[in-house]
Amino acid sequence: MDSVCTAKTRGVGGLKRLQVGVSAVVWASVLVVLALLLLLSEDAGTARHGKGVQAATRLEPLDPHAAIDQVRSHAHALHQSFLRPEFSFEPPFPFRGYFVIDNWSYGGAAVVTESFVRITPDRQRKSGWLWSKQSCTMLDWEAMFEFRVSGSGTSTYGDGMAFWFTTTPKQKGNVYGARDQWLGLSIIIDTYDNNGNGDGPRLLAIWNNGDIKYDHNRDGQGQEIGSCQLSPSAMRNVDGFTTVMVTMLNGKLRVKYAYAQKDHWVECFSDAHVEPVERQSYYFGFTAATGDIADNHDVRSFAVYDLKAMAHAEGTDATDHDHGDFELKARRAINRRQGRNDDEVTVWSVLWIVFKWIFGAVCLTIAVVLALSGYKVYM
């Protein structure tokens, strides 16, 4: 009788161990499946928007060549209320017996067409100018202009063009069609390598208090407050215009550019020191010149924005250099319109990745422990 009871007890105990072992293995399998699902799942940015983490930080237009135009379009719409129209222009230009640009005057070899201004033609020893009629007292501003350089020359061409913010406008001279020893800022696009060191074409900025005489033989080298080399194949004889963004804020200057065939900005330099004078009357302008070699120098559009008014409207500190970055604001606006939020998606994507890997590792560890425990109980 005792042997029968003992057999029954062992049978019941074996059945319970089997149940416990199977239960442990089942739970271990469930945890393994859950861990694999988590580890193989897409991140939060993908799950929410159908794209990866990069969707939060860059645009993915159907036409990559249209990206910069899309950004400019949104930037223009976003900041229209801060645009200073008395200093700005864009085509088409009105025809009043001849094409004109409201609030601007031009002369020399410059010609206004319906869609752009040709400051100099591809002819030797020509110079032209385009100057704002109204003076500007803003010291915190951001400007964007589109320019194009083209011509028949293949190995040598020039001389170049310049953008001005100066108190001495409409004075003809030998600095790309403008006077030397000017007062204010000049952004020079030098396309001829006078010093022969192979660093052209070049974009350079010079702040002049009237005591700097431009050094043509050295292409202004040593006189600039910032400069960078440009790609001739990307900016000359191409379909479209190169855009330059100039930001002057609290005595600091930053310059960025975007080639016509590219969809991103390149920083030329930043935090260059300038010394604008309060309550002084400055004028915006463009000039260009050719010498023994020549090129077409064209300007398509120019837009000026009041950064101080923008900072006041946004409730930001005027020292915040980033609030004047139209590209960043435009990209964020596009992301919002597409149902994305830059910072939110990026942060949650990172948190989700960290969570799923930690939780997945915990699940796998528990699964292994359960499997081993179930096996030991069964045995």
Side-chain angles (χ1 to χ4, degrees):
M1 186 70 178
D2 291 338
S3 61
V4 172
C5 291
T6 302
K8 288 183 177 180
T9 301
R10 289 178 177 173
V12 172
L15 181 61
K16 287 183 177 180
R17 287 197 301 274
L18 178 62
Q19 290 175 341
V20 171
V22 170
S23 178
V25 171
V26 169
W27 278 108
S29 301
V30 170
L31 288 173
V32 169
V33 172
L34 179 60
L36 290 175
L37 288 175
L38 278 172
L39 296 177
L40 295 176
S41 66
E42 295 178 307
D43 61 79
T46 304
R48 292 168 57 186
H49 304 299
K51 298 183 184 293
V53 175
Q54 289 185 340
T57 56
R58 69 178 180 88
L59 297 173
E60 296 180 355
L62 295 177
D63 179 5
H65 296 299
I68 197 69
D69 292 330
Q70 185 184 21
V71 168
R72 290 172 190 153
S73 176
H74 282 271
H76 185 71
L78 278 171
H79 304 281
Q80 196 62 244
S81 58
F82 306 110
L83 178 73
R84 296 295 297 267
E86 68 271 32
F87 305 124
S88 306
F89 60 81
E90 64 178 351
F93 301 118
F95 184 79
R96 298 169 187 152
Y98 52 92
F99 289 105
V100 298
I101 301 178
D102 292 332
N103 300 316
W104 287 71
S105 59
Y106 63 94
V111 175
V112 178
T113 71
E114 184 179 12
S115 56
F116 64 89
V117 183
R118 174 147 292 169
I119 304 177
T120 65
D122 185 11
R123 296 291 183 270
Q124 293 178 323
R125 291 176 285 280
K126 298 290 184 180
S127 65
W129 50 266
L130 177 68
W131 289 101
S132 62
K133 292 180 179 179
Q134 297 190 38
S135 62
C136 173
T137 57
M138 288 189 304
L139 301 184
D140 296 324
W141 50 264
E142 186 153 276
M144 287 191 289
F145 65 88
E146 295 177 292
F147 78 92
R148 179 177 61 190
V149 178
S150 61
S152 57
T154 55
S155 58
T156 57
Y157 41 84
D159 285 335
M161 59 187 298
F163 162 71
W164 302 89
F165 179 68
T166 177
T167 62
T168 53
K170 299 181 183 179
Q171 297 185 30
K172 189 175 179 179
N174 64 347
V175 182
Y176 303 94
R179 62 162 281 182
D180 205 343
Q181 296 178 281
W182 65 93
L183 300 172
L185 173 69
S186 178
I187 304 290
I188 297 171
I189 299 165
D190 180 12
T191 57
Y192 183 71
D193 189 7
N194 285 286
N195 58 13
N197 62 4
D199 64 350
R202 185 164 167 256
L203 186 155
L204 65 151
I206 298 177
W207 182 268
N208 199 336
N209 290 320
D211 55 354
I212 296 177
K213 190 173 180 63
Y214 183 70
D215 189 345
H216 285 275
N217 292 330
R218 301 186 68 227
D219 295 323
Q221 194 169 36
Q223 299 175 320
E224 72 272 41
I225 57 175
S227 66
C228 58
Q229 188 172 4
L230 301 175
S231 168
S233 62
M235 61 158 278
R236 186 174 180 273
N237 285 337
V238 296
D239 183 18
F241 291 77
T242 297
T243 302
V244 175
M245 178 191 294
V246 183
T247 306
M248 182 182 289
L249 182 63
N250 293 321
K252 299 292 184 180
L253 187 72
R254 180 183 67 180
V255 174
K256 301 167 72 174
Y257 62 90
Y259 293 124
Q261 304 299 326
K262 302 294 182 180
D263 64 348
H264 62 276
W265 295 98
V266 177
E267 184 172 279
C268 181
F269 62 85
S270 62
D271 293 326
H273 180 67
V274 293
E275 300 175 346
V277 180
E278 291 188 8
R279 294 181 294 278
Q280 182 68 269
S281 295
Y282 290 88
Y283 293 82
F284 293 107
F286 296 90
T287 63
T290 64
D292 291 335
I293 54 177
D295 252 342
N296 298 308
H297 297 97
D298 304 333
V299 175
R300 180 181 181 273
S301 67
F302 180 61
V304 181
Y305 299 88
D306 188 341
L307 291 187
K308 185 166 289 187
M310 186 185 301
H312 179 74
E314 295 175 349
T316 58
D317 188 347
T319 61
D320 180 6
H321 207 166
D322 215 21
H323 74 76
D325 193 328
F326 295 117
E327 180 203 21
L328 177 60
K329 288 178 176 293
R331 290 182 184 275
R332 286 177 175 170
I334 294 170
N335 285 343
R336 286 195 297 271
R337 287 184 59 179
Q338 295 176 352
R340 304 200 296 261
N341 182 292
D342 304 14
D343 302 326
E344 179 185 358
V345 174
T346 303
V347 171
W348 282 107
S349 296
V350 173
L351 289 177
W352 173 250
I353 292 171
V354 172
F355 167 77
K356 73 179 185 180
W357 278 99
I358 293 176
F359 191 75
V362 171
C363 287
L364 288 175
T365 302
I366 295 175
V368 171
V369 172
L370 284 175
L372 291 175
S373 300
Y375 177 77
K376 288 180 178 180
V377 169
Y378 175 74
M379 296 302 292

